Amino acid sequence: MEATEFRAADDGPAVDALARAAGTPGTAGNVDGPAGNTTDAVENDDLAGNMDGSAGDDAGGPDRAERLARVAIMRMAEAGDAVMGRLIARYGPVGAMRQARRGVLDPGFARDERDRADASPRPLDLGRHAAAWAARYSDPAADLAQGRQRGARLVVPGDSEWPTQLDDLGDARPFGLWVDGRANLRFSCLRSVSVVGARAATAYGTTVAAEFAMSLGGRGWTVVSGGAYGIDGAAHRGALASGTPTVVVLACGTDVCYPSAHEDLFRAVREQGVVISEWPPGAHPTRLRFLIRNRVIAALSRGTVVVQAAARSGALNTATHAWGLNRHLMAVPGPITTDVSAGCHVLIRQGKAVCVTAPEEIVELVGFIGDDLAPERRGPVRPRDGLNDETRRVLEAIPARRATGPAAIAVAAGVDIGTALACLGALAAAGFVENVDRGWRLRPEARE
């Protein structure tokens, strides 16, 4: 074995149960993970065989070995782990799972990762990384059963419900998603917009988020957000009010309600949309996980709208992901005296985000060219807007509070007396002026 091979756990006499499920020979014996006997669990058709739709299995999707391997990886590797992403890309989920379970990486892969780490400003201790994977191994069938019991289904790459736009994340693509809710995740995200912003939002921000989301939903667009306080919660509620699906992307297991005050909101979302997570059942949120999940919010939709964000904000992290993925990035302006709008103004000033002030402007950006153009916004149309230049000059030359003769009006307007008389006649017919004993004067309704 070459020196570049990393070992973090003794193989012992254990057999790799997932390899057996895929038809790969192993050593006789059982693999006992922290959650129980994996061999028995894998052979239990109720958990690992042809699962029904509630378990997230597709008739033409990945086989049971690959599905179980991804469940195990979702427990062992932190979401967004690019090293694990490259391991899966090279060896497939089952092969990656076998190496991670044993803490032993293929020498060629380890050598490539070492070269990559040498060129990175943040070098990675691959040995410790592999050891951490092995230490977090748990029975995947138990996770699958637990998720199923709590109402979630597993959706993995290759399933018909998998949103293929997540593939744009490359090595950081989710290993799989736990999905809880009645809506179809892929169909819901075909026409979707992410609406994000500050937790400590102002009344202005929550009102804009709710109204934008409700209007977007009324136009058939799904709203994606993180389910947090402030802008996120307002956006989800606005989408629910429109009767269209909304997607909550959690930084914890789908069975963990965070924040706890949003229990009723998440229950309503499950009835009308979906709650999704990269983390297994029972996983609790951490500060880092909130940042990691933001890339999924950005990748799922065609564009991201930042309603309010401070100079340092998780919403700006989502905006950075959207910018890096070449998604449309939009920001709502606010008062320059409000700290929670400072991040939006920075995005606009840097040219990264387009300033939007109405839902129609959002749809124009993320919709189809020529089909979803926003109407040009104009001020109110007044009757005098239709007058030609000479007639408008004559009208403006008439005093507001007294009558005056046509000669004085002609001089003030800079026209000859004949033109002045012709314009006065037209203005009288249109109801702007009237002829009285002392000359011409404005009608009261024309005094603006």
Side-chain angles (χ1 to χ4, degrees), residues 74-220:
M74 291 169 73
R75 176 72 69 176
M76 291 189 294
E78 194 64 32
D81 188 335
V83 178
M84 177 58 78
R86 290 189 288 271
L87 191 66
I88 294 174
R90 182 177 295 193
Y91 302 101
V94 175
M97 158 62 197
R98 293 177 64 192
Q99 294 186 46
R101 168 70 181 95
R102 296 167 180 168
V104 179
L105 302 181
D106 178 80
F109 179 82
R111 184 168 51 251
D112 292 345
E113 287 299 312
R114 183 186 59 192
D115 294 341
R116 183 187 295 268
D118 290 342
S120 172
R122 295 183 178 180
L124 174 70
D125 187 332
L126 195 58
R128 290 185 178 181
H129 207 65
W133 289 342
R136 296 174 67 176
Y137 175 82
S138 181
D139 179 9
D143 272 350
L144 202 59
Q146 186 178 10
R148 186 182 194 180
Q149 182 181 9
R150 300 184 182 184
R153 59 188 181 272
L154 179 69
V155 178
V156 300
D159 284 342
S160 61
E161 196 177 353
W162 180 260
T164 55
Q165 60 266 42
L166 291 178
D167 298 342
D168 293 344
L169 292 170
D171 295 335
R173 180 182 72 167
F175 311 126
L177 291 171
W178 293 98
V179 180
D180 188 357
R182 294 188 175 184
N184 182 286
L185 176 61
R186 178 173 174 270
F187 291 157
S188 297
C189 294
L190 289 177
R191 286 167 52 91
S192 62
V193 177
S194 297
V195 180
V196 298
R199 288 176 172 82
T202 65
Y204 161 77
T206 55
T207 299
V208 169
E211 290 183 353
F212 276 24
M214 185 166 60
S215 182
L216 288 168
R219 290 170 167 79

Side-chain angles (χ1 to χ4, degrees), residues 125-418:
D125 187 332
L126 195 58
R128 290 185 178 181
H129 207 65
W133 289 342
R136 296 174 67 176
Y137 175 82
S138 181
D139 179 9
D143 272 350
L144 202 59
Q146 186 178 10
R148 186 182 194 180
Q149 182 181 9
R150 300 184 182 184
R153 59 188 181 272
L154 179 69
V155 178
V156 300
D159 284 342
S160 61
E161 196 177 353
W162 180 260
T164 55
Q165 60 266 42
L166 291 178
D167 298 342
D168 293 344
L169 292 170
D171 295 335
R173 180 182 72 167
F175 311 126
L177 291 171
W178 293 98
V179 180
D180 188 357
R182 294 188 175 184
N184 182 286
L185 176 61
R186 178 173 174 270
F187 291 157
S188 297
C189 294
L190 289 177
R191 286 167 52 91
S192 62
V193 177
S194 297
V195 180
V196 298
R199 288 176 172 82
T202 65
Y204 161 77
T206 55
T207 299
V208 169
E211 290 183 353
F212 276 24
M214 185 166 60
S215 182
L216 288 168
R219 290 170 167 79
W221 289 83
T222 297
V223 171
V224 180
S225 196
Y229 289 127
I231 299 302
D232 290 13
H236 291 305
R237 291 186 181 95
L240 291 171
S242 71
T244 53
T246 183
V247 179
V248 174
V249 184
L250 294 177
C252 54
T254 56
D255 58 333
V256 176
C257 183
Y258 187 89
S260 58
H262 280 179
E263 182 176 357
D264 291 340
L265 173 62
F266 292 164
R267 184 181 300 112
V269 169
R270 290 184 179 97
E271 291 294 317
Q272 192 167 305
V274 286
V275 174
I276 69 172
S277 175
E278 299 178 75
W279 285 273
H284 289 275
T286 64
R287 183 183 298 273
L288 182 59
R289 286 177 176 176
F290 282 112
L291 297 177
I292 292 172
R293 68 90 192 262
N294 288 342
R295 79 196 196 290
V296 175
I297 295 177
L300 275 176
S301 59
R302 294 191 187 180
T304 294
V305 182
V306 183
V307 178
Q308 283 188 322
R312 286 178 59 88
S313 169
L316 294 185
N317 178 259
T318 307
T320 300
H321 286 297
W323 174 259
L325 290 167
N326 291 320
R327 302 292 198 265
H328 292 287
L329 182 57
M330 297 152 277
V332 177
I336 61 174
T337 54
T338 304
D339 290 340
V340 289
S341 289
C344 296
H345 299 156
V346 169
L347 290 174
I348 295 171
R349 186 171 182 271
Q350 291 176 342
K352 294 181 177 180
V354 175
C355 176
V356 291
T357 59
E360 295 83 2
E361 296 171 359
I362 298 172
V363 174
E364 181 181 77
L365 281 174
V366 300
F368 294 103
I369 296 176
D371 293 341
D372 297 306
L373 294 177
E376 186 175 351
R377 305 186 73 180
R378 301 182 54 182
V381 178
R382 298 175 179 176
R384 64 175 63 196
D385 290 343
L387 302 176
N388 60 39
D389 290 342
E390 284 186 339
T391 306
R392 185 179 293 110
R393 289 206 307 271
V394 169
L395 178 62
E396 292 175 354
I398 301 173
R401 299 297 178 185
R402 60 183 177 84
T404 189
I409 294 173
V411 172
V415 297
D416 60 80
I417 187 66

